[in-house]
Amino acid sequence: MNPEKPTHDHSSQYYKRFFVSKFNLGDQAIQAKFSSPMIITEGDQITVSGYQKDGAFQVLAYNNQTQQVSSNGNWLMLALGALFFLAVAIGLLNSQLVIEGALIPKLFLFGFTLVAIYIGYRALLIREAIKLISN
């Protein structure tokens, strides 16, 4: 039995939630969202990699040198997701409704293409963040 699964949830599968960590590194506000909690304690030497957003540094990858633990977002799954959305968009592009000029399929084509670009961009950001902390 999963102790994190709510007792009122009768679904056959439980999807893992994200853990949000907020702390200060020096005088910089840091925020990290990972599928497991960050392993970090007061005084640990850590390296973080990510980007600035809304006054806080968004962590995409981190390395805790003190405890010899590192973690990052799953860029490979994001890349596969981007390919899936791109494949759906290509399938829509070749559909008869889009060829005939129907508005709704064109909107779906545009939406799936935007989602594929965004997810692919996130995958590339995470991959670059991993490269930065490994140097």
Side-chain angles (χ1 to χ4, degrees), residues 80-111:
L80 290 175
L83 287 175
F84 170 77
F85 278 97
L86 191 59
V88 171
I90 290 170
L92 280 172
L93 184 63
N94 294 325
S95 74
Q96 190 64 34
L97 289 172
V98 169
I99 293 170
E100 292 173 359
L103 178 64
I104 300 298
K106 282 185 178 180
L107 290 175
F108 276 104
L109 171 64
F110 182 70

Side-chain angles (χ1 to χ4, degrees), residues 5-14:
K5 185 174 180 176
T7 56
H8 62 278
D9 185 359
H10 299 292
S11 64
S12 60
Q13 188 169 4
Y14 180 67

Side-chain angles (χ1 to χ4, degrees), residues 7-124:
T7 56
H8 62 278
D9 185 359
H10 299 292
S11 64
S12 60
Q13 188 169 4
Y14 180 67
Y15 297 96
K16 191 189 286 188
R17 70 187 112 190
F18 285 100
F19 293 90
V20 179
S21 301
K22 293 181 181 183
F23 57 95
N24 287 334
L25 189 58
D27 53 355
Q28 173 70 50
I30 305 289
Q31 181 175 350
K33 294 178 188 173
F34 292 109
S35 58
S36 60
M38 284 184 77
I39 300 173
I40 183 172
T41 57
E42 185 76 31
D44 284 355
Q45 290 286 332
I46 66 167
T47 304
V48 296
S49 182
Y51 60 96
Q52 191 74 25
K53 180 182 175 188
D54 299 330
F57 189 80
Q58 306 294 314
V59 177
L60 297 175
Y62 78 96
N63 184 6
N64 185 334
Q65 293 94 354
T66 305
Q67 298 187 36
Q68 297 185 353
V69 175
S70 64
S71 184
N72 53 270
N74 194 339
W75 68 270
L76 184 59
M77 290 307 290
L78 284 174
L80 290 175
L83 287 175
F84 170 77
F85 278 97
L86 191 59
V88 171
I90 290 170
L92 280 172
L93 184 63
N94 294 325
S95 74
Q96 190 64 34
L97 289 172
V98 169
I99 293 170
E100 292 173 359
L103 178 64
I104 300 298
K106 282 185 178 180
L107 290 175
F108 276 104
L109 171 64
F110 182 70
F112 277 104
T113 303
L114 283 180
V115 169
I117 291 169
Y118 174 75
I119 293 174
Y121 173 71
R122 293 284 300 177
L124 289 174

